[in-house]
Amino acid sequence: MSQTLQDKRPVAAVRTGSLSHARMPRWAPAAIAVGSIAAGCGIGSAAGWHSRVQWGIIAALIFVLATYVITTKVENSRQAKDRVATSLVWVCFVLAVVPLLSLAWVTVKEGMEVVDGYFLGHSMNGVLDVQPGGGIYHALLGTVEQVLIAAVIAAPIGLLTAIYLVEYGRGKLAKAVTFFVDVMTGIPSIVAGLFILATWNLMLGFGPSGFAGGLALAILMMPVVVRSTEEMLKLVPNELREASLALGVPKWRTILKVVLPTAIGGITTGVMLAVARVTGETAPVLLLVFGTRLINPNPFEGAQSSLPLYVYEQYAVGTDASIARAWGAALVLIAFVMILNLVARGIARWKAPKTGK
Amino acid sequence: MRGKTRPGDRIFLGLSRGAGISLLVIMAAIAGFLAYRAGIAISKDDANFLTESEWNPAGNPPVFGIAVLAFGTIVSSVIAMIIAVPVAIGIALFISHYAPRKLAAPLAYVVDLLAAVPSIIYGLWGALFLVPYLDGLNSWLDEYLGWTYIFEKTGEGVARNLFTVGILLAIMILPIITNVTREVFLQVPKMHEEAALALGATRWEVIRMSVLPFGRSGIISASMLGLGRALGETMAVAVVLSPSFIISGHLLDPGGGTFAQNIAAKFNEADGFGRDALIASGLVLFVITLLVNGAARAIIARRKEYSGANA
């Protein structure tokens, strides 16, 4: 067989052209990018614009145009469109990262100048607006207390609602709850504040207090807790429930002893993320907690302060010293929220329910 | 076979169902109480609440209306949507289809971080950092696009205007739009994409022919969720905008206001009746966000069933 094949040597086909069309080298996009950034900077500085934003826009436009024209020449228009789409997608991503980096950089840079042990450990008692010094102790204390109150109220209700939806929920009531939980996540925080204002303060006649703020934050927390807990409970394998029920364990004990412990990591994560979310809420606190310069450790009586509110107040005062304090408090707030976020995600990874195998 | 239910089961079911019902009660109470206080305010309003552009509930007779606030809220949110939706789709595509596999998860996390930043810090950054930067862009827009009327600057003033607010809101609603669209893009059946690739489509053609059509309803509902956020955002707007009770189509002129911003700004100086008037404007905001969010969720819920049958 092999001999017959070898007998006739095939005549080499005469190729008139390459089967694949011309491709641009791999470094081409990078080269075009460098070229257009240079052109953007050149045009920007030649025209004497101070705003780097404009330079960036010009560079981006040149990049997209150059990519399209060059690729159409070298390859074809379909490839050109593909490349333009790729670069647009990259530009979109950069557009999202730039503000995040800028915000983080500015906050850390401005904040570090103010934050120290004194700043964390003192209130604004007796500090004039124009004076440097003072601190955020009262605001930190207020934030922690209000957020704890919110968590103590919202976590059990959220947890039970999620259990209802996953373990029992059928029919119209469950559908209605699911829909309104979703809608509730979209309630503007200031509306939650107005609601507590209309009931707790205007109808029942209580004054501003940390507790009122905590109530509003609880309303904002509940749907987030329900949503995340629901997702986690759905991840618990049904076999576990069935095994427990088959042993004659009542359903409520199955839920408490089998389902919840399996999902506890994810639930903790969800609650912590919800806490992180409401920690930064300013609007309801502004309406309900009112703000003070003094340390008020009692959340049930009298005005308190809170970190986001402190940032707002110090910014509104507008002196150099107060704006520096605003940045300092902003740094502490952002660190607080980010640490909560990271710890929450760490727990999620560490305690993830074992699936498969 | 259904014997008597155990008392423990009954109690537990009662508790968890009660929690679910309490959420519905809270929603109903929010609507009810806001409507009640708003009714008190509006009945004493000497002007048409919907069309009056002044805000003076302390006057005699009280005159206040939401025309300026509605205008400012809608304009700033529309600007935010125009900027944020395409960028968010781009980021979602980047994470789901363009980024190297190993980078996709960390990048998604970065987007989540954007969502975790408290709005007051966006406000602070916007007022002290973004506004000076946008001054240059504003005068450039005024110079070259001033003939469009909306980009015409009629006076001097820093960029504490609705345009800046729109840009800031766009940054703030990017994460939610990105996250929802990304989820939908990841649900696109692999077969559709591979079929397109096998026919020789470029990556962009795959996205245009299989990913975007599949994800259209997801994109729409994600945008509406973002819109809901933008409409209700308070502190960032309150910090950045220099408010005034004038309706002006010149986006680059400082002034205007939004529902939420007005409540935050006017609350401390308001007396009892003034607070009721603010609650009335809050009710309008509540109803608008309720409608927008409800519609978005309804679209998502519908497509959940569709994609479930598809999988």
Side-chain angles (χ1 to χ4, degrees):
Chain A
M1 279 243 295
S2 55
Q3 283 174 329
T4 49
L5 273 178
Q6 277 175 346
D7 274 347
K8 263 194 200 165
R9 291 186 64 170
V11 184
V14 182
R15 284 229 187 123
T16 47
S18 162
L19 274 177
S20 60
H21 57 73
R23 298 283 296 182
M24 301 225 294
R26 287 178 62 92
W27 47 262
I32 298 175
V34 170
S36 33
I37 288 171
C41 294
I43 293 175
S45 57
W49 292 327
H50 294 293
S51 167
R52 301 292 183 279
V53 178
Q54 288 165 326
W55 295 25
I57 291 174
I58 296 288
L61 281 179
I62 293 176
F63 177 72
V64 170
L65 273 178
T67 310
Y68 189 79
V69 170
I70 294 173
T71 319
T72 314
K73 269 255 158 64
V74 180
E75 300 180 349
N76 58 34
S77 69
R78 283 177 56 221
Q79 296 295 335
K81 274 183 199 146
D82 185 45
R83 279 186 195 274
V84 168
T86 307
S87 47
L88 283 182
V89 165
W90 273 88
V91 166
C92 285
F93 180 71
V94 172
L95 277 182
V97 173
V98 165
L100 181 66
L101 289 182
S102 154
L103 187 143
W105 166 247
V106 174
T107 311
V108 170
K109 193 186 74 174
E110 303 274 343
M112 285 309 276
E113 290 175 15
V114 190
V115 176
D116 51 26
Y118 185 88
F119 188 68
L120 294 175
H122 288 77
S123 75
M124 288 296 290
N125 192 0
V127 181
L128 295 176
D129 287 332
V130 289
Q131 258 178 328
I136 56 166
Y137 178 71
H138 58 310
L140 206 55
L141 188 72
T143 289
V144 170
E145 285 179 352
Q146 290 148 27
V147 167
L148 277 182
I149 290 172
V152 165
I153 298 170
I157 296 182
L159 200 61
L160 281 169
T161 307
I163 290 175
Y164 173 70
L165 290 177
V166 176
E167 305 290 334
Y168 297 101
R170 268 153 212 77
K172 280 202 177 120
L173 179 64
K175 271 211 173 122
V177 173
T178 310
F179 181 76
F180 277 104
V181 165
D182 279 340
V183 172
M184 216 170 155
T185 47
I187 292 185
S189 57
I190 193 134
V191 169
L194 284 176
F195 166 61
I196 299 298
L197 179 80
T199 50
W200 184 255
N201 293 18
L202 294 182
M203 195 179 76
L204 299 175
F206 292 98
S209 68
F211 182 68
L215 285 177
L217 296 182
I219 292 179
L220 296 170
M221 248 184 97
M222 274 177 213
V224 186
V225 175
V226 176
R227 267 270 145 271
S228 55
T229 310
E230 218 186 327
E231 297 298 318
M232 286 306 130
L233 292 181
K234 279 181 188 159
L235 286 182
V236 176
N238 248 336
E239 287 84 348
L240 288 182
R241 295 188 183 95
E242 285 158 6
S244 167
L245 291 173
L247 289 171
V249 181
K251 186 160 185 176
W252 67 279
R253 281 185 69 90
T254 305
I255 294 171
L256 283 184
K257 297 281 175 182
V258 177
V259 177
L260 283 185
T262 314
I264 192 69
I267 294 173
T268 318
T269 303
V271 172
M272 286 180 76
L273 287 180
V275 167
R277 190 196 143 183
V278 298
T279 303
E281 288 293 355
T282 322
V285 180
L286 174 73
L287 304 188
L288 300 167
V289 181
F290 219 70
T292 171
R293 306 171 78 91
L294 313 178
I295 300 171
N296 174 12
N298 182 2
F300 299 98
E301 188 72 55
Q304 276 195 313
S305 187
S306 95
L307 274 180
L309 184 59
Y310 180 92
V311 174
Y312 179 59
E313 285 174 344
Q314 293 297 323
Y315 167 78
V317 168
T319 62
D320 284 347
S322 72
I323 284 182
R325 278 193 289 268
W327 280 118
L331 178 62
V332 174
L333 177 60
I334 226 172
F336 194 90
V337 171
M338 289 302 154
I339 289 171
L340 268 177
N341 254 287
L342 290 176
V343 172
R345 278 161 215 274
I347 290 177
R349 192 162 290 183
W350 174 50
K351 280 263 181 185
K354 314 280 181 290
T355 49
K357 286 189 186 172
Chain B
M1 267 304 282
R2 286 183 71 86
K4 57 177 172 49
T5 47
R6 296 183 178 92
D9 269 343
R10 261 197 317 248
I11 293 170
F12 198 73
L13 173 61
L15 271 179
S16 61
R17 186 188 280 157
I21 292 173
S22 72
L23 280 182
L24 296 183
V25 171
I26 290 173
M27 283 299 284
I30 293 177
F33 277 103
L34 291 187
Y36 168 67
R37 303 299 313 196
I40 297 177
I42 294 175
S43 64
K44 289 184 192 155
D45 191 357
D46 203 46
N48 186 328
F49 180 64
L50 293 178
T51 55
E52 174 61 40
S53 61
E54 209 179 315
W55 190 271
N56 188 13
N60 190 17
V63 170
F64 57 93
I66 56 167
V68 173
L69 308 178
F71 176 79
T73 306
I74 292 170
V75 165
S76 58
S77 303
V78 165
I79 297 171
M81 297 295 284
I82 291 174
I83 301 170
V85 171
V87 174
I89 294 174
I91 301 169
L93 283 176
F94 182 79
I95 294 172
S96 66
H97 287 81
Y98 282 86
R101 267 297 137 71
K102 278 189 183 159
L103 274 182
L107 292 180
Y109 182 64
V110 168
V111 175
D112 283 345
L113 280 188
L114 262 176
V117 176
S119 65
I120 182 71
I121 296 181
Y122 276 113
L124 195 65
W125 174 76
L128 298 176
F129 187 79
L130 190 65
V131 164
Y133 259 74
L134 285 179
D135 271 338
L137 181 69
N138 278 1
S139 46
W140 184 79
L141 282 172
D142 176 39
E143 200 175 328
Y144 293 99
L145 294 172
W147 50 270
T148 55
Y149 181 78
I150 53 170
F151 287 127
E152 187 185 347
K153 252 178 110 164
T154 56
E156 284 303 303
V158 288
R160 293 177 173 275
N161 49 37
L162 288 176
F163 186 63
T164 307
V165 168
I167 293 177
L168 194 61
L169 287 177
I171 297 172
M172 298 177 68
I173 63 175
L174 266 183
I176 180 155
I177 308 183
T178 304
N179 281 345
V180 178
T181 36
R182 192 193 60 197
E183 304 250 308
V184 178
F185 287 165
L186 288 176
Q187 284 174 14
V188 176
K190 271 277 160 293
M191 290 296 181
H192 290 194
E193 292 178 37
E194 284 166 8
L197 281 174
L199 290 171
T202 60
R203 185 152 51 172
W204 168 239
E205 284 162 345
V206 170
I207 286 167
R208 217 192 52 207
M209 292 188 301
S210 70
V211 178
L212 290 183
F214 184 89
R216 188 179 299 135
S217 63
I219 294 172
I220 293 172
S221 58
S223 313
M224 289 174 79
L225 288 180
L227 178 63
R229 287 279 163 86
L231 291 170
E233 177 48 48
T234 313
M235 297 323 288
V237 185
V239 169
V240 167
L241 196 67
S242 81
S244 70
F245 271 84
I246 303 162
I247 294 183
S248 161
H250 300 297
L251 300 181
L252 300 184
D253 285 341
T258 73
F259 286 113
Q261 170 271 329
N262 185 53
I263 296 170
K266 288 274 195 304
F267 181 77
N268 275 343
E269 63 192 54
D271 55 1
F273 182 72
R275 292 187 176 179
D276 281 346
L278 291 175
I279 289 176
S281 73
L283 177 70
V284 179
L285 175 64
F286 176 66
V287 171
I288 296 174
T289 49
L290 209 61
L291 291 178
V292 169
N293 279 301
R297 293 298 176 180
I299 296 172
I300 292 185
R302 211 173 56 208
R303 74 149 290 136
K304 220 181 251 165
E305 283 154 28
Y306 162 61
S307 65
N310 197 48

